[in-house]
Amino acid sequence: MPVRYIDHLPRSADLVVIGGGVLGAATAFYAVRAGFDVVVLERRPALCTLTTPASTGAFRLQFDNPEEIEVVRESVDMFLAFNEVTSQDEYQLNVKQQGYLWVTLHEERAERARQLVERQRSWGLEDVEWLDEAQIRDAFPYLTPRAIAARFRRGDGFLDPRALTMGFVAGSRAGVVVDCGAIGFEVDGEGLAGVRTGRGTISTRAAVIACGPFTAKLALTAGVDLPVRMVARQKIVFPHLPEVPAWAPMTIDDDTGAHWRPFLRGAAVLFTDPDTPPGPPLENVPVDHDGVFRVLRPEGDVSVARISPFWRDVWSRNAHTWIVHTGQYTMSPDKRPLAGGTEVPGLFVNSGDSGHGVMTSAAIARRLADIVAGSLPEERNPFRLSRAFEAREFDVL
């Protein structure tokens, strides 16, 4: 089932979704299922070409609060039945449930990990494990002998974020207009009346802004000030790297946040410095070469070699190609999604995913479609824009 591209801007639609990444695609899919005639607008020449392909391409239920555990659980259930639910088989997610593993070298972190595992189990995540030194050595021999504790859940894993995005769009049968960026909104006494684009105005009483780092800038044209900031991120891809155990889980240094996972026939390596200053939304995010060396060079303070020593050999031999993909996180104050209505009636937002957009996409979009349809009251939405923002106690990735 191909994506339904249209070469002209329709005069009207029940709902306009602005943005062709994973959040916009999922929103379109569930909005069509809720009965809306949907048009997707993408400012670039192709869907899924800005932040989504720079993502980790992974999912996990190991969160520090029951609300996000619930939404990711719903999303994962959908991922595991993706082709059946979307009624298309052109896009395959290639889900691999190899787990997420957080590893620490410090006693204080080990105790925090143990406490978080206990809390997660109290929220119903009964298959998450806390591992001591002996269990780590037995299960993950590639780790440093200095590792003293870890938390692990086998059911977490990886998928193809581009296939997820395109499968959502294809399955929705929504009309898609590319090379068509939204530039503002028409508002009347009843609320939203239309979406202005570089190719004209499309009349609508409902629109969802889901254009990643450009969401806040666009919302501001309607007088909506979103509490988000954009932070640069990058993913270092080794397409072929024999040292990487293909069976390994997402392996995370719980002390620094640096992490890697098997990818293609090699690995993807990621680290976002929490001290990275926010910046404006960018179409082209520059590569931070110092950041690349900081995470790959064994002497670096956040090097992936701290917990996975084989990366020392990779560095010293320097025989394999690496490629850097860049993008931006759209960060909310509490690092939870921002999904719900704005002060402009008919104008909605799906953003602020803070790096978790792939894994929360299905459940958040389904709930947002219910909100747009009026079947889910905003007060029952924990991700509403008007909520109180509280600092997270545990989650840092």
Side-chain angles (χ1 to χ4, degrees), residues 67-68 227-228 331-341 351-354 364 378-379 381-390 392:
E67 293 83 9
E68 283 174 290
V228 296
M331 309 289 292
S332 69
D334 57 6
K335 299 183 182 178
R336 295 188 182 192
L338 285 174
S351 186
D353 49 282
S354 304
I364 293 294
E378 278 279 17
E379 58 268 21
N381 171 23
F383 307 109
R384 60 189 178 276
L385 279 61
S386 61
R387 68 180 183 268
F389 298 105
E390 299 177 357
R392 303 179 84 117

Side-chain angles (χ1 to χ4, degrees), residues 239-259:
H240 179 74
L241 202 60
E243 289 87 346
V244 175
W247 53 267
M250 176 76 76
T251 301
I252 304 157
D253 187 335
D254 203 13
D255 305 327
T256 69
H259 52 293

Side-chain angles (χ1 to χ4, degrees), residues 309-326:
F310 70 81
W311 285 104
R312 292 182 177 274
D313 298 329
V314 172
W315 174 263
S316 63
R317 195 170 69 259
N318 194 24
H320 295 282
T321 299
W322 75 60
I323 303 162
V324 182
H325 295 171
T326 60

Side-chain angles (χ1 to χ4, degrees), residues 281-299:
L282 298 173
E283 288 279 1
N284 300 292
V285 180
V287 173
D288 174 12
H289 295 283
D290 289 339
V292 171
F293 294 137
R294 186 180 173 196
V295 76
L296 292 182
R297 187 178 181 181
E299 296 79 13

Side-chain angles (χ1 to χ4, degrees), residues 4-35:
R4 188 167 71 87
Y5 292 103
I6 50 181
D7 58 9
H8 64 283
L9 186 70
R11 296 182 60 184
S12 64
D14 293 342
L15 174 68
V16 176
V17 175
I18 304 166
V22 68
L23 297 184
T27 299
F29 177 79
Y30 282 100
V32 169
R33 284 169 62 104

